[in-house]
Structures are given as C-alpha cells and as structure tokens.
Amino acid sequence: MRVLVTGGAGFIGRQVHRQLVAEGHEVVVLDSFRADVHARRPEPRPGLIVGDVRDASTVAAAVERVDTVIHLAAKVGLGVHLDDIDDYVSSNSLGTAVLLKSLGSVRRLVYASSMVVYGEGRYDCAVHGQVAPGPRRTEDLDAGRFEPPCPYCGAPLSPGLVTEDARLDPRNTYAATKLHGEHLAAAWARETGGRVTALRFHNVYGPGMPRDTPYAGVASVFRSALDRGTAPRVYEDGRQRRDFIHVHDVATAVTAATAALPDQPPSIVYNVGTDSIHTIGDLAAGLSTIYNGPEPVITGQYRLGDVRHITASSASLRADLSWKPTHTLTTGLADLLTADPPATDCS
C-alpha cells in the first residue's frame, strides 16, 4: 500500500513512518518543517515533499497514486497566548480542509485527533452519578482548589476513564481546531463515500520528543528542563491524572487504523491510550530519576486552559483492531533514556 503521511517528519510522524516501512508499505512524507518544531529545513528528496498542507498544489502532487492518507500535520500544544489563535486555525482547520478537498480518488483517511477534545474527563458524584463539571474558576484555582466539584451539590467527584461517546468540550484553541478537523473529516467521508478513522491520542512521550519549545507536551517540557540541569516545574499540585502512552504504541495504533474494516461506518473515533492512570507528578518524578536530575518543584501555578483529569478507555480500539500497548510508563521512560539521551537540538 502507498501511504501519504502529513507531518511525517515530526515526533509521532517519524515513528509512524518507521512502522509503516517495517510493515512493508511505501511511504510518502509531506512536512512543512515548521521553524517552531524543526531546527533545519531539508531539501526535497524521493519520498519526502517539503511543503505546507495548506498549499493545494503541493497536496495534489503528494496524493498522486496514494491509497491511504495519515494526517498528522498540525500546530500542537495548548497555545502560548491568544495571539496564536489564527495560526492554530489556519494550520489545523484550514490545513485539514485543503487536504480533504485535494484527496481526489483517495477514500481512506486516518486523522490524528487528541484527548483535548473532551475537556475534562469522566467524573462521578456519589449522589448525582456521572456529571460534567463546569469551567474552572480562577478564584478556586488561585486558592489552590484544583479538584472540580459536583455542579449540582458541590461534593467531591471521582474521576474515571473517558469513552469515545463522552460529551465533547474543547477548552482551548488547539482543542477546538482538533475537534473541527474531526467534523470536517466526517463530512468528507459522508459526501465522498470515503472512510475516516479519527484517533484521539492521549499524552504521547518517547524518543524523538521535541526539545526546548513551549508548544511541546508536558513530558518534553520536563525533559528539556532536566537537559538544562534545572528541576521540572509541575503546575497545580502535581496530582492531575493523565494517560501517558509511548510513541511506538501510538504508531502501531495508527498503522492498525489504516486497514478499513468491512463493516466500519464512514466515520469512527478511537481513544489511543494505555488505560493506566498516572499523575503529572509521577511523570516528573520518573524523568528526574532516570536523568539523575533535581527533584520536581510543585509550583501551585496553573493555566486556565488546562483540565484537571483526563484518562482514557481504549477498549474499543483494542477490541476492533486487535491493538494493545506494549510499554508501561516505567519501561517507556527507560526506553527514552537509552534511545534518546539528553541533547539541545529540537529537530
């Protein structure tokens, strides 16, 4: 199978590329080599197209003779400030729209979405059952009250694993554009007879993580601090629950999704996580240990666009595509140290 991977030179894209090649596929990579992610912009070569997914002529050339498209290209991260909003919308929403318009005879798309589309994860109240907490309030966060209360009685809530049918509540610009991309891809599938699988990645880490950029994930930010010999700075109280998944396991989920199931609906969504719960403080402490660095600092600071708890149920992905993760957080962090030693280049 001939596969186009947009964003194929990025952190996840490189691992997906390697996995596709290992499975015997022919791969074409389209990547713009954004300056906020890559230190260098290479010359085009066979199998690599250097260009922007928002450029229709570039995309049209990239999809020639392609059977499947894996769309990873995006501006990622929470967003540093509101001045980024137009770049997120242009890079992610417009980029996806241009790609979809240019697909021609391609009828198979795998779209990289994110767990951020949920906003907060699943919560249960002992009295009111499953509830959706409201937006976090600055007065609570300033006072160190980080746990969301029941919106009906104010009682403490029990967080759980979120499933794909959960309420969607994107709470920052990046989240809004990823959900918009899901909707655009679903519309493309309905109108063309194509099939799209949207994969909601949870917190991805592993060899090749970007370094020294505010747009990286939390694992990258902590590792960059340790590279500089400084302590990881953990927001809130460090007890935020997350599902950390190794990039190799994400890549095998992506390649599994390239094979359309005979009874698959035009559009389907899967969580991609480990179903294992760890805290952001756990991650910071684990990285400090393997890098023999200073202990994390719990700052009590917060970002209003963050959510408190979001952990995944990937039961549907496991059942439908016979996929399962191979790394625990312990083995994954050990792999990070051996495969990706400290450095200063973010390319």
Side-chain angles (χ1 to χ4, degrees), residues 58 201 239 248 307:
T58 299
F201 301 152
R239 297 175 185 170
H248 172 75
V307 297

Side-chain angles (χ1 to χ4, degrees), residues 169-246:
D169 183 22
R171 296 190 176 191
N172 57 63
T173 302
Y174 171 63
T177 61
K178 295 312 289 184
L179 182 56
H180 190 204
E182 285 191 24
H183 291 164
L184 292 172
W188 166 83
R190 286 192 299 270
E191 294 182 19
T192 64
R195 289 182 177 179
V196 59
T197 301
L199 300 176
R200 291 173 180 163
F201 301 152
H202 283 248
N203 293 79
V204 187
Y205 72 97
M209 291 189 301
R211 300 173 186 265
D212 297 312
T213 166
Y215 297 95
V218 64
S220 299
V221 172
F222 291 163
R223 197 270 309 275
S224 292
L226 289 162
D227 284 351
R228 297 190 298 269
T230 60
R233 296 180 59 81
V234 180
Y235 282 8
E236 301 183 20
D237 57 6
R239 297 175 185 170
Q240 307 94 305
R241 292 156 56 110
R242 295 292 187 270
D243 190 337
F244 298 105
I245 182 166
H246 192 278

Side-chain angles (χ1 to χ4, degrees), residues 246-272:
H246 192 278
V247 66
H248 172 75
D249 292 329
V250 168
T252 59
V254 171
T255 59
T258 60
L261 302 172
D263 57 349
Q264 180 182 323
S267 177
I268 193 166
V269 174
Y270 292 112
N271 287 331
V272 183

Side-chain angles (χ1 to χ4, degrees), residues 26 30 38 48 56 59 69-71 91 146 148 164 219 221 226 260 266 276 286 297-298 324 332 338 345:
E26 180 184 359
L30 170 63
H38 298 272
L48 173 64
V59 176
V69 172
I70 298 172
H71 183 34
S91 299
F146 301 121
E164 289 87 353
V221 172
L226 289 162
S276 297
V297 174
I298 306 299
K324 63 180 181 180
T338 58
D345 187 357

Side-chain angles (χ1 to χ4, degrees), residues 76-154:
V76 301
L78 176 65
V80 178
H81 42 64
L82 194 60
D83 287 348
D84 287 335
I85 190 169
D86 53 344
D87 193 15
Y88 274 103
V89 172
S90 177
S91 299
N92 299 353
S93 295
L94 178 60
T96 298
V98 171
L99 173 68
L100 294 170
K101 183 178 178 180
S102 305
L103 287 181
S105 61
V106 177
R107 289 294 177 267
R108 185 78 185 115
L109 175 69
V110 178
Y111 172 73
S113 188
S114 170
M115 56 87 176
V116 296
V117 301
Y118 295 113
E120 291 285 353
R122 173 177 176 146
Y123 292 88
D124 290 279
C125 173
V127 176
H128 295 98
Q130 186 172 342
V131 298
R136 305 177 84 186
R137 304 187 310 168
T138 55
E139 54 264 41
D140 289 334
L141 298 172
D142 287 339
R145 296 189 295 268
F146 301 121
E147 295 289 344
C150 175
Y152 303 107
C153 66

